[in-house]
Amino acid sequence: MNKDFENAINNYFETVSEACEYLINHINNTSNLELKCKFELYTFLRENRVYDYIAGEREYRFHGAGCSVFVHDKKVIDWDFGYRSWWCGIDPYKMAVTLKSMGYSNELFYDSNYINALCESMHNQGELKIYKGQYYPDLLKKETMHTCFPAVFDTMVINYFDKKIECPRTKLVDRFIRKSKIVYKYIEELENNVVLDFLDNGKVVAKILYNDAAYQDSAVEIMKALLKDNLQET
């Protein structure tokens, strides 16, 4: 991918991530809660019918797909929430607005048409994927590595934020492993990683990182099924 474009994407994603983490921390501190991720934030906003939230000098205005942050009535950050655990995807207009407001060093990225053309080009080359109108880096088109899962284990424990979900070894768990042999090489640098503990007779024999941005789609769908089935039981 074009290095300048990759740097601009990273700056945009980091800005949105910081805004979301700031919001979660403010909600936790003022409401005595322990929200930890996008999905818990969604639940809080929906259950409390929050459409506008003041956090310090920031005003978060929520709309159907995302949020705009204003400071002194000036829009400074804009995004649509992303799919899976991504805080956002790349919407060329919203990315341009955000980078311009933050005074990003490369002014080419103040132009949404310029960003859109790059997105279309990178999508055609397979370096970006698109979902519901937003573009996302395809991390598996970058550097990958083979994951060494243990051959012998009887239980997989999903450390899902504050929950420990025990999954006995089943055909579904084995299928997840088969679909997870190749993952994004720098998964440890991603946010909201989940740790998978593999146990044999109560002893941990391996710890593997999981992130739905770093695994193949087929593996992600299996993990979603495992989480859905087991979270309903807790």
Side-chain angles (χ1 to χ4, degrees):
M1 183 184 292
N2 177 302
K3 193 64 178 178
D4 289 339
F5 187 33
E6 187 172 16
N7 288 338
I9 291 171
N10 289 339
N11 271 269
Y12 176 56
F13 280 9
E14 288 170 6
T15 299
V16 172
S17 176
E18 184 276 334
C20 293
E21 293 296 336
Y22 182 88
L23 173 62
I24 284 178
N25 289 334
H26 194 278
I27 292 172
N28 287 342
N29 291 335
T30 56
S31 303
N32 196 28
L33 296 173
E34 294 183 359
L35 305 181
K36 299 177 182 67
C37 63
K38 183 180 76 172
F39 307 108
E40 293 182 359
L41 175 62
Y42 275 174
T43 300
F44 171 84
L45 296 174
R46 183 180 65 253
E47 291 182 349
N48 293 278
R49 298 184 179 181
V50 177
Y51 304 104
D52 192 273
Y53 187 92
I54 305 297
E57 292 187 337
R58 300 181 181 186
E59 180 183 2
Y60 290 75
R61 298 179 187 174
F62 299 97
H63 44 80
C67 183
S68 301
V69 178
F70 291 79
V71 175
H72 305 306
D73 289 326
K74 178 186 177 183
K75 185 188 292 185
V76 294
I77 310 172
D78 201 12
W79 74 90
D80 283 344
F81 285 108
Y83 84 132
R84 295 180 181 166
S85 60
W86 292 92
W87 277 117
C88 69
I90 303 166
D91 175 298
Y93 172 76
K94 291 178 171 61
M95 178 173 167
V97 167
T98 301
L99 293 180
K100 184 176 182 179
S101 73
M102 64 184 281
Y104 184 63
S105 58
N106 191 333
E107 295 184 6
L108 287 173
F109 293 97
Y110 297 178
D111 182 353
S112 61
N113 292 324
Y114 178 72
I115 296 173
N116 188 64
L118 286 172
C119 284
E120 290 182 352
S121 175
M122 294 297 100
H123 179 249
N124 290 335
Q125 295 175 41
E127 295 188 61
L128 293 179
K129 50 189 177 181
I130 190 167
Y131 182 78
K132 291 189 176 180
Q134 292 198 93
Y135 295 93
Y136 299 84
D138 190 343
L139 298 182
L140 292 177
K141 293 294 177 66
K142 297 185 177 183
E143 293 185 70
T144 58
M145 65 179 182
H146 287 273
T147 305
C148 296
F149 290 91
V152 179
F153 70 95
D154 55 35
T155 306
M156 180 177 73
V157 178
I158 307 171
N159 295 284
Y160 189 72
F161 299 102
D162 59 342
K163 297 180 174 65
K164 287 186 176 291
I165 302 168
E166 293 191 7
C167 301
R169 187 171 189 174
T170 62
K171 290 182 179 180
L172 191 60
V173 171
D174 282 345
R175 186 161 167 255
F176 167 75
I177 291 173
R178 289 197 301 273
K179 300 294 184 180
S180 305
K181 295 297 186 181
I182 296 177
V183 302
Y184 177 52
K185 184 175 182 179
Y186 302 106
I187 185 173
E188 74 279 355
E189 298 176 3
L190 302 179
E191 295 181 348
N192 298 319
N193 284 330
V194 170
V195 178
L196 306 177
D197 289 334
F198 291 85
L199 282 63
D200 188 48
N201 292 320
K203 180 181 178 181
V204 177
V205 294
K207 287 180 175 288
I208 306 290
L209 290 180
Y210 171 80
N211 190 300
D212 59 20
Y215 278 61
Q216 296 184 62
D217 289 346
S218 54
V220 172
E221 291 305 310
I222 296 170
M223 179 57 72
K224 283 171 60 178
L226 289 167
L227 287 170
K228 182 180 179 181
D229 291 344
N230 287 280
L231 285 173
Q232 286 177 343
E233 296 173 2
T234 60

